[in-house]
Amino acid sequence: CVICLEDVQDADIYTLAECSHKFCSSCVKQHVEATVTTGRTFPVACPQVECTKKFTEGECKKLLSEAALKVFMKKIEEERIPDAERVYCPYPKCSDLMDRRTFLDPNPRKLCGACHRYFCLDCRVPWHTFSTCAGYQRLPLDLKDAADAKLYRLAENQNWRQCKKCRWMIELSEGCYHMTCRCGYEFCYTCGMEYR
């Protein structure tokens, strides 16, 4: 096995379907489980140096423990939703993944299916009962959620910009000011307006 450098019986060898690279079964299981549970890369890549092939979904399911399989299935679900359509429940003890396309009602007040609490789909925060979305966005940082206030202060200090479409924070490390967010929205890093 090229991972553990041990001599292995043929019965203990695992061959990947996509590329036919061979490893011992225990190393393959550890590799897949570590990749899935740490969230570094997904889908799981072949551990062979310079190989670009991936484990199939079926291979991963066979190799994972029950706990890791739950994490894997959640990642599969997440990958099937485009970045711009992913919505996470803003409550820290929930963070349930939802698909924005499933919300047909234009009202931004939505109910999380997992924790059954209301949140604002547009502001991506717990529901702001006494304010409209525009009013909430105009609030001083110290009157918003404490965690949001810290994030916005950090963003301000670091000169980060927020995508107006999906609200993802973006940092310009080098290059021009024409930004393309992961959701596809294009804007100017200097002024934040849509790029034309």
Side-chain angles (χ1 to χ4, degrees):
C1 173
V2 296
I3 296 175
C4 64
L5 304 176
E6 295 289 330
D7 289 329
V8 182
Q9 298 292 324
D10 285 344
D12 292 330
I13 290 289
Y14 187 91
T15 305
L16 271 75
E18 291 282 316
C19 57
S20 301
H21 286 123
K22 300 175 186 301
F23 309 95
C24 73
S25 297
S26 64
C27 285
V28 167
K29 284 181 182 177
Q30 287 178 5
H31 170 71
V32 171
E33 192 140 332
T35 303
V36 166
T37 55
T38 59
R40 289 191 311 246
T41 58
F42 186 80
V44 181
C46 171
Q48 182 73 36
V49 176
E50 295 184 12
C51 181
T52 58
K53 300 295 182 184
K54 309 290 183 198
F55 281 81
T56 65
E57 187 176 324
E59 284 178 311
C60 290
K61 286 178 181 177
K62 289 178 192 170
L63 294 166
L64 293 170
S65 67
E66 196 172 318
L69 184 59
K70 286 180 184 176
V71 173
F72 179 73
M73 295 311 292
K74 203 165 193 125
K75 287 185 178 187
I76 291 287
E77 181 186 349
E78 188 173 28
E79 286 295 314
R80 290 187 175 136
I81 302 171
D83 285 345
E85 305 302 330
R86 288 182 200 156
V87 177
Y88 296 91
C89 177
Y91 293 96
K93 291 187 178 178
C94 180
S95 301
D96 189 51
L97 171 66
M98 293 165 269
D99 188 338
R100 186 182 189 99
R101 298 170 295 188
T102 61
F103 299 115
L104 303 175
D105 178 15
N107 184 344
R109 183 178 186 232
K110 302 299 179 203
L111 182 68
C112 174
C115 69
H116 306 291
R117 292 183 280 184
Y118 286 101
F119 69 97
C120 179
L121 183 64
D122 294 339
C123 299
R124 311 262 175 135
V125 297
W127 183 247
H128 38 77
T129 307
F130 302 108
S131 177
T132 63
C133 292
Y136 177 81
Q137 293 300 326
R138 285 193 301 269
L139 285 173
L141 290 177
D142 55 336
L143 295 179
K144 290 182 179 180
D145 179 72
D148 281 350
K150 284 182 185 177
L151 173 65
Y152 289 120
R153 271 197 286 280
L154 177 64
E156 195 173 304
N157 290 340
Q158 298 294 322
N159 240 0
W160 297 344
R161 292 286 177 251
Q162 190 174 30
C163 173
K164 288 186 178 183
K165 185 174 181 186
C166 71
R167 303 205 173 276
W168 190 259
M169 284 293 180
I170 298 173
E171 176 185 20
L172 175 67
S173 56
E174 60 183 35
C176 71
Y177 294 117
H178 176 191
M179 305 304 294
T180 302
C181 180
R182 65 185 203 160
C183 72
Y185 182 73
E186 296 181 51
F187 65 96
C188 173
Y189 195 82
T190 306
C191 67
M193 297 304 292
E194 185 177 3
Y195 192 86
R196 296 184 193 277

